Amino acid sequence: MEVSFKRKCDLDNVLGNYKRIDPDKWNEMSFVDQSAHITQLEMRLEHARRTHGYYQDCRKELGYDIHNDGMSFEVWSKTTGEAMDDHVRQMQKAVHEHRAYLASLPEGWGAW
């Protein structure tokens, strides 16, 4: 039984993994190791999709034009998981501050 090297390469390309395992080394790996490697890549991709969704939601709430000025998923997926998480935390903080500002306005203000 063998895990698809093509699937691994496809995930690497999406995630911008430039240090790749060559086909000979891949073929020498056990099925369990190949499966674990693919699973890690898929989990990383799912994390990128989820955090990019949070990032886009925050931009939308802040009134940013997400179609023209947001970080594309292609670029987002190539950043590290820590950078994604940090960026989302910063955006969530901005949303929190924006909500607090709107709540501090006199009634009727900010509801255009």
Side-chain angles (χ1 to χ4, degrees):
M1 194 176 262
E2 187 180 310
V3 178
S4 168
F5 185 69
K6 181 186 180 317
R7 173 72 177 141
K8 182 209 135 354
C9 291
D10 289 345
L11 287 164
D12 276 340
N13 287 336
V14 171
L15 295 169
N17 295 331
Y18 300 111
K19 186 177 178 185
R20 297 186 172 95
I21 297 171
D22 66 55
D24 292 336
K25 181 162 167 96
W26 180 261
N27 291 333
E28 291 171 7
M29 291 169 68
S30 70
F31 172 75
V32 171
D33 288 341
Q34 288 175 344
S35 298
H37 193 81
I38 292 276
T39 299
Q40 286 178 345
L41 292 174
E42 287 174 336
M43 287 171 56
R44 169 90 170 78
L45 183 59
E46 180 54 35
H47 178 73
R49 285 191 178 124
R50 188 174 58 254
T51 55
H52 191 251
Y54 296 152
Y55 161 76
Q56 293 289 55
D57 289 346
C58 288
R59 288 184 60 79
K60 195 178 295 183
E61 184 160 346
L62 292 168
Y64 296 146
D65 179 355
I66 64 170
H67 300 295
N68 296 326
D69 193 28
M71 192 184 305
S72 70
F73 181 75
E74 182 181 345
V75 173
W76 183 268
S77 64
K78 290 172 174 42
T79 64
T80 67
E82 288 174 15
M84 289 175 191
D85 294 342
D86 187 52
H87 202 76
V88 168
R89 277 192 294 274
Q90 288 175 16
M91 293 294 287
Q92 288 172 331
K93 181 180 176 195
V95 165
H96 178 74
E97 289 170 355
H98 180 65
R99 287 180 184 164
Y101 168 73
L102 291 178
S104 73
L105 294 174
E107 191 160 333
W109 284 64
W112 353 56

